[in-house]
Amino acid sequence: MADVTAKSDAQKESEAAVDTFRQELGPFVVAAQKTRMPMIFTDVEPGHPVIFANDAFLKLTGYAREEVLAKSFQSLLALGVDSETMPIVEAAFGGECDRDPEIHYKRKNGSEFWASMFVSPVCDESGTVVQHFVSFADLTDHRQDNARCKMLIDELNHRVKNTLSTVQSIVTQALRRPAEPEAIREAIESRILALSRSHDLLTNSNWEGAGLHDLVDTALHPFEVVAGHGERFTIVGDNVHLSPKTALSVAIALHELATNAVKYGAFSNDAGKIAIDWTVSSAVEDRLVLRWRERDGPPVTPPTHKGFGSWVIERGLAHELGGKVTLEYLSHGVACTIDIPVPTEANE
């Protein structure tokens, strides 16, 4: 739209009328020129050529004044505007629109914006419409906020469903084997609390993910045997950013490993130690390899059957994240290697 189209005699006459209008009502025109609300005058000719544009309109659209004058109003609309838009625009100019339409426009640089248009006729002494006065209210931020709110609501619904699915799995697995009611209550409650702490961590980052160091600290913090005994465990690795889904699954797995260590493993005596480290490799795709290694705890006896904790670690991560888990009950301590992809937010 950089080229200036030659103006018709009718358009020149209309501009002359606006100049007369400017001279007769100078202060009003100056106010219109400088007001923060975008405004234009258009001719009554087909296409509604622009014959006046104030500074706010030029700022909104990015055009110079000479690039706008004599251009049709339709040329300001975004490319690909649907066929329903033009009748609405014409109805607004004809005073037949029962509401102020919200129209999709384009700027000089190709970007687009949404704005409400308010059309008022300008009449001569005989009541004949000689021009149209059009003002605009930029709705771009409003529409973007609405779109973001919808996206967040959809994302919230998705996360709530995932969380409820996780809780259902926790309850189902806890009830699968006979146990005392108190043991069942403790198994369910502790895991839901672990899930809740992970949610708090993600909420603090607006659910944009979590660092693995932060996640490990959050998972281990509730265990009293860990608090204040930093010499009993080591954590080595960068604060790798994990997506929300990955963070929740890893947090539950860490909770299960820590629970087992407190009950039976390295944290069940006064000498046991745990080393946690991880690396990220990118041979084919970015994958996180996390290792949990216990030592100096009581001698380890492999379990005769796998409980819910083992199921969460081995099957849960494989199912939720497409990961590979190796859980070993070595004589000197439990060792667990978790190998999972590290997805981006878009691929989650």
Side-chain angles (χ1 to χ4, degrees), residues 3-4 17 43 67 112 130 140 151 161-162 221 226 228 288 293 311 345:
D3 297 332
V4 179
D43 200 350
E67 294 174 319
E112 299 178 356
V130 293
T140 307
M151 179 191 70
K161 289 179 181 178
N162 284 345
H221 179 74
V226 177
L288 170 70
R293 292 170 291 179
W311 181 90
E345 288 280 350

Side-chain angles (χ1 to χ4, degrees), residues 241-261:
H241 182 270
L242 301 181
S243 65
K245 180 179 179 180
T246 302
L248 290 174
S249 297
V250 171
I252 292 294
L254 290 171
H255 171 81
E256 296 302 328
L257 288 168
T259 298
N260 184 76

Side-chain angles (χ1 to χ4, degrees), residues 258-280:
T259 298
N260 184 76
V262 169
K263 290 182 176 180
Y264 315 110
F267 284 155
S268 65
N269 65 13
D270 295 329
K273 296 180 176 62
I274 295 178
I276 307 169
D277 65 84
W278 57 86
T279 56
V280 175

Side-chain angles (χ1 to χ4, degrees), residues 60 101-105 113-117 136-140 143:
L60 175 64
E102 298 178 3
I103 306 298
H104 200 187
Y105 303 89
F113 66 97
W114 284 87
S116 285
M117 59 179 292
F136 303 85
D138 189 358
L139 302 177
T140 307
R143 279 184 167 255

Side-chain angles (χ1 to χ4, degrees), residues 132 288 306:
H132 285 100
L288 170 70
K306 293 186 177 181

Side-chain angles (χ1 to χ4, degrees), residues 22-333:
R22 183 196 302 273
Q23 294 171 7
E24 294 178 352
L25 298 174
F28 172 82
V29 174
V30 172
Q33 186 80 31
K34 300 301 181 182
T35 184
R36 290 183 296 176
M37 175 174 282
M39 297 177 179
I40 62 173
F41 282 98
T42 70
D43 200 350
V44 293
E45 295 293 321
H48 312 289
V50 177
I51 59 175
F52 173 86
N54 74 348
D55 294 346
F57 179 83
L58 300 176
K59 181 178 179 181
L60 175 64
T61 60
Y63 292 112
R65 183 166 281 105
E66 62 271 16
E67 294 174 319
V68 173
L69 296 179
K71 291 294 183 181
S72 69
F73 183 84
Q74 286 84 337
S75 67
L76 299 172
L77 302 181
L79 297 177
V81 168
D82 58 80
S83 59
E84 296 180 358
T85 298
M86 290 312 304
I88 294 175
V89 170
E90 291 300 327
F93 275 102
E96 301 170 353
C97 202
D98 57 358
R99 59 183 177 82
D100 299 314
E102 298 178 3
I103 306 298
H104 200 187
Y105 303 89
K106 64 179 178 181
R107 298 185 177 90
K108 179 180 178 180
N109 63 8
S111 63
E112 299 178 356
F113 66 97
W114 284 87
S116 285
M117 59 179 292
F118 309 92
V119 182
S120 299
V122 178
C123 302
D124 61 15
E125 293 180 355
S126 65
T128 302
V129 176
V130 293
Q131 286 127 19
H132 285 100
F133 171 70
V134 187
S135 59
F136 303 85
D138 189 358
L139 302 177
T140 307
D141 290 343
H142 175 68
R143 279 184 167 255
Q144 289 176 344
D145 288 343
N146 284 347
R148 177 171 173 77
C149 286
K150 183 180 183 304
M151 179 191 70
L152 291 175
I153 290 172
D154 290 343
E155 182 64 20
L156 177 62
N157 289 334
H158 173 70
R159 287 170 181 164
V160 167
K161 289 179 181 178
N162 284 345
T163 299
L164 292 175
S165 178
T166 301
V167 172
Q168 181 183 33
S169 178
I170 289 172
V171 174
T172 299
Q173 292 301 319
L175 296 174
R176 178 164 291 181
R177 295 179 178 84
E180 293 296 323
E182 183 60 24
I184 295 175
R185 183 197 65 80
E186 191 279 332
I188 295 175
E189 184 178 85
S190 65
R191 285 161 181 133
I192 291 179
L193 286 175
L195 187 65
S196 174
R197 286 189 293 270
S198 301
H199 272 250
D200 288 341
L201 178 64
L202 290 169
T203 299
N204 290 336
S205 65
N206 295 320
W207 277 82
E208 295 177 354
L212 185 48
H213 254 299
D214 302 326
L215 196 66
V216 172
D217 290 341
T218 299
L220 296 181
H221 179 74
F223 298 91
E224 294 182 4
V225 69
V226 177
H229 295 83
E231 74 282 357
R232 297 190 61 182
F233 61 93
T234 57
I235 302 174
V236 178
D238 296 333
N239 199 25
V240 179
H241 182 270
L242 301 181
S243 65
K245 180 179 179 180
T246 302
L248 290 174
S249 297
V250 171
I252 292 294
L254 290 171
H255 171 81
E256 296 302 328
L257 288 168
T259 298
N260 184 76
V262 169
K263 290 182 176 180
Y264 315 110
F267 284 155
S268 65
N269 65 13
D270 295 329
K273 296 180 176 62
I274 295 178
I276 307 169
D277 65 84
W278 57 86
T279 56
V280 175
S281 62
S282 56
V284 179
E285 63 174 338
D286 288 344
R287 296 190 70 86
L288 170 70
V289 180
L290 184 149
R291 291 167 290 271
W292 172 289
R293 292 170 291 179
E294 300 181 25
R295 63 184 176 88
D296 297 335
V300 174
T301 301
T304 57
H305 68 275
K306 293 186 177 181
F308 178 50
S310 299
W311 181 90
V312 167
I313 297 170
E314 294 181 310
R315 296 183 56 189
L317 287 175
H319 179 266
E320 291 292 327
L321 305 178
K324 302 174 184 176
V325 179
T326 303
L327 187 58
E328 302 174 278
Y329 296 92
L330 306 175
S331 59
H332 61 275

